[in-house]
Amino acid sequence: MLIVGRIGKPHGIRGEVTVEVRTDEPEARFAPGSVLVTEPGATPPAAPGPGVPFRVPAELTVESARWHQGRMLVAFEGVLDRDVAEALRGTLVGVDSADVAPPEDPEEFHDHQLVGLAVVTPAGERLGEVARIDHAPASDLLVLRRPEGKTALIPFVKAIVPEVDLAGGRVVVDPPNGLLDL
């Protein structure tokens, strides 16, 4: 699943929710009729009423989406009131990564393409594997899971990450001294 957003707090009383957008194409991903998958087995802390169990559906269909004061507001089909909208808070929504076209730019990658790749030095020494990508304001960061269980953050810039070999299942990293010790 390619995460495109996280549902936030309800907006109003008719089931609309705020969404923390995590995609470069929010208008396409949250277009009316779009079907978004949710994290498997998600059970939010809130329930829509006393004694009524609530389980996040496996899919949510976008009924409408709009921008309001810099925030994306989304209405999902079947979410008709504030209580159900509140129960969805914190749910990650995404699209099937198989449905996403690869980027046209050969120097651009989707997160799901990088997660799980081996991270090696230019000499071939294995440093670990990509656990996830953090999107920071200055640059994206590869979160490296080290063999001993620790993690390290590697700025995803050409000077430090000179090669991404998707076919070979590896990312070549040339870290400056001390970067992996932080």
Side-chain angles (χ1 to χ4, degrees):
M1 175 169 79
L2 178 64
I3 303 297
V4 297
R6 186 175 72 69
I7 297 175
K9 65 183 182 177
H11 179 81
I13 61 171
R14 295 197 174 110
E16 240 179 353
V17 293
T18 61
V19 173
E20 175 191 316
V21 175
R22 296 185 182 177
T23 177
D24 291 341
E25 303 172 322
E27 285 77 14
R29 300 287 177 228
F30 294 96
S34 297
V35 177
L36 302 174
V37 293
T38 62
E39 56 190 333
T43 304
V52 179
F54 180 79
R55 205 147 165 81
V56 174
E59 297 179 341
L60 292 168
T61 302
V62 176
E63 189 172 279
S64 66
R66 63 190 173 98
W67 290 99
H68 176 70
Q69 297 180 347
R71 291 187 198 171
M72 171 77 66
L73 299 180
V74 178
F76 293 107
E77 289 180 10
V79 179
L80 304 176
D81 63 37
R82 187 176 184 88
D83 291 335
V84 175
E86 178 63 42
L88 292 173
R89 186 190 290 228
T91 301
L92 294 173
V93 292
V95 294
D96 185 345
S97 55
D99 297 338
V100 178
E104 292 178 20
D105 182 352
E107 297 293 316
E108 188 177 318
F109 305 95
H110 291 299
D111 293 3
H112 72 276
Q113 294 176 293
L114 301 171
V115 173
L117 295 182
V119 177
V120 298
T121 65
E125 175 191 351
R126 185 174 169 87
L127 299 173
E129 74 175 34
V130 178
R132 70 175 189 275
I133 312 301
D134 283 353
H135 300 281
S139 74
D140 292 338
L141 298 167
L142 297 176
V143 178
L144 171 66
R145 183 179 308 117
R146 306 277 289 156
E148 66 274 7
K150 295 181 180 180
T151 59
L153 299 177
I154 301 172
F156 194 24
V157 295
K158 191 76 169 170
I160 299 174
V161 184
E163 181 184 351
V164 175
D165 179 7
L166 293 178
R170 67 190 189 118
V171 176
V172 177
V173 173
D174 191 8
N177 288 336
L179 179 68
L180 302 179
D181 300 326
L182 295 175

